[in-house]
Amino acid sequence: MEARITGHTGLLCLLGSPVGHSGSPAMYNYSYERLGIDYAYVAFDVKEDQVPAAIDAIRTLNIRGGNVTMPDKIAMAKAMDELSPAARIIGAVNTFVNDNGRLKGYITDGEGYVNNLKDHGVDIKGKKITVCGGGGAATAIQVQCALDGAREISIFNIRDKFFDRTLATAEAIRRECPGCTVNVFDLDDQALLTKEIQSSDIFCNATIVGMKPMDDQSVVRDLSAFHKGLVVSDVVYNPGETKLLREAGEAGCQTIGGKGMLMWQGVAAFKIHTGMDMPVEEVRARFYS
Ligand code: NAD
């Protein structure tokens, strides 16, 4: 690394809090080195109220771009000069570039989900998907699926603080993607969840259920929902195989875990930052196996 960094090296960064656990610096620096790109990537702990100062620093220090994690995604979106279509609809960014002081924000979580499906031979175009969740990951997935031509999206959420956000997401999708039918339901109505999954091609859990301390739980309690031909996916990546995926797999469904989504959202961000393709197979073997 020290031999690589010169007075010309461009700096990219991760902004969020906490960031110390992030695997992004290792993955991006490895990829820059492999491809001979003169960039370095570091993580900065930036609290939400520090975002305006961070934006000033990005412009002053000519930081080339970077990524954004919780809790800064919404404040960063508000500070951008321009937003990608998905970032504008969602109102959050996880990737940005600095083009001579002009900042453009993107959100690649949804692209990561859709490309992870593709990596497993599944195309969202023309499909019906049922998604549980209304938070950051769920919203990005719902919007990207609509932008990429999903026929129908059924959204389920418990009646917590995220429920209104699911209604707003559905409205935004109806406005931006009129060809996609979207409906919102209460996750407590398990009979309706079963019915919607039974008429879906793809099911996605984009809630925190399945992750510790809820790793002994699944959003799908009636296993008759798992019909032949259904693809069952989870955004939770720790554990790699959630209770949902285990039960769906036992019922004969194709299952797709959240680790790939994590990798593919990074691949999409890398392309935005560098214009180049990340060495996916090497990155997968080194950081995601
Ligand atoms: P968030 O806090 O924005 O949203 C949480 C969601 O979980 C909401 O829809 C909420 O209603 C739901 N929820 C909470 N408790 C629940 C319960 N008891 N029953 C049913 N639903 C419940 O979180 P987020 O940032 O969207 O993250 C959600 C999950 O996605 C986390 O496990 C996170 O690690 C994972 N994630 C994965 C990736 C990836 O690339 N694979 C990316 C982002 C997030």
Side-chain angles (χ1 to χ4, degrees), residues 90-113:
I90 295 163
V93 305
N94 78 334
T95 300
F96 69 95
V97 283
N98 175 9
D99 202 0
N100 295 318
R102 188 176 164 75
L103 304 181
K104 179 165 180 184
Y106 303 79
I107 189 142
T108 64
D109 290 322
E111 217 176 314
Y113 176 77

Side-chain angles (χ1 to χ4, degrees), residues 133-137 157-158 160 162 207-209 211 235-237 258 261-262:
N157 208 82
I158 55 173
D160 64 357
F162 291 95
T207 73
I208 56 172
V209 177
M211 187 174 85
V235 299
V236 173
Y237 51 84
M261 172 180 167
L262 195 62

Side-chain angles (χ1 to χ4, degrees), residues 72 125-126 141 162 212 274:
D72 297 343
K125 202 168 165 47
I141 288 167
F162 291 95
K212 269 198 165 71
T274 67

Side-chain angles (χ1 to χ4, degrees), residues 32-219:
Y32 299 152
E33 188 157 13
R34 281 288 298 110
L35 298 180
I37 299 171
D38 194 11
Y39 281 165
Y41 190 106
V42 294
F44 293 128
D45 195 301
V46 173
K47 313 262 186 301
E48 200 174 3
D49 63 348
Q50 296 174 307
V51 165
I55 292 283
D56 286 345
I58 287 163
R59 289 202 173 97
T60 305
L61 303 176
N62 199 23
I63 289 174
R64 302 277 198 265
N67 297 95
V68 186
T69 188
M70 294 311 285
D72 297 343
K73 290 181 169 186
I74 293 169
M76 280 293 282
K78 288 183 182 150
M80 295 290 113
D81 298 305
E82 191 183 345
L83 293 170
S84 71
R88 177 177 50 78
I89 298 168
I90 295 163
V93 305
N94 78 334
T95 300
F96 69 95
V97 283
N98 175 9
D99 202 0
N100 295 318
R102 188 176 164 75
L103 304 181
K104 179 165 180 184
Y106 303 79
I107 189 142
T108 64
D109 290 322
E111 217 176 314
Y113 176 77
V114 170
N115 285 341
N116 190 35
L117 288 184
K118 272 193 199 134
D119 193 30
H120 288 82
V122 179
D123 191 350
I124 189 67
K125 202 168 165 47
K127 302 281 168 50
K128 173 172 178 176
I129 180 168
T130 293
V131 183
C132 286
T139 307
I141 288 167
Q142 290 147 11
V143 168
Q144 195 66 42
C145 286
L147 288 171
D148 286 355
R151 182 184 86 243
E152 188 173 345
I153 305 176
S154 292
I155 302 171
F156 283 81
N157 208 82
I158 55 173
R159 287 200 176 264
D160 64 357
K161 64 176 181 174
F162 291 95
F163 195 82
D164 282 349
R165 188 171 171 186
T166 61
L167 297 175
T169 303
E171 264 317 302
I173 291 174
R174 285 184 198 114
R175 195 174 55 242
E176 304 276 342
C177 308
C180 179
T181 302
V182 52
N183 289 297
V184 175
F185 306 105
D186 186 339
L187 182 53
D188 282 342
D189 190 342
Q190 280 281 319
L192 193 51
L193 177 66
T194 301
K195 189 166 157 275
E196 287 301 309
I197 296 175
Q198 281 170 343
S199 61
S200 292
D201 304 289
I202 304 165
F203 174 72
C204 174
N205 171 51
T207 73
I208 56 172
V209 177
M211 187 174 85
K212 269 198 165 71
M214 285 190 267
D215 50 335
D216 60 343
Q217 295 176 42
S218 165
V219 284

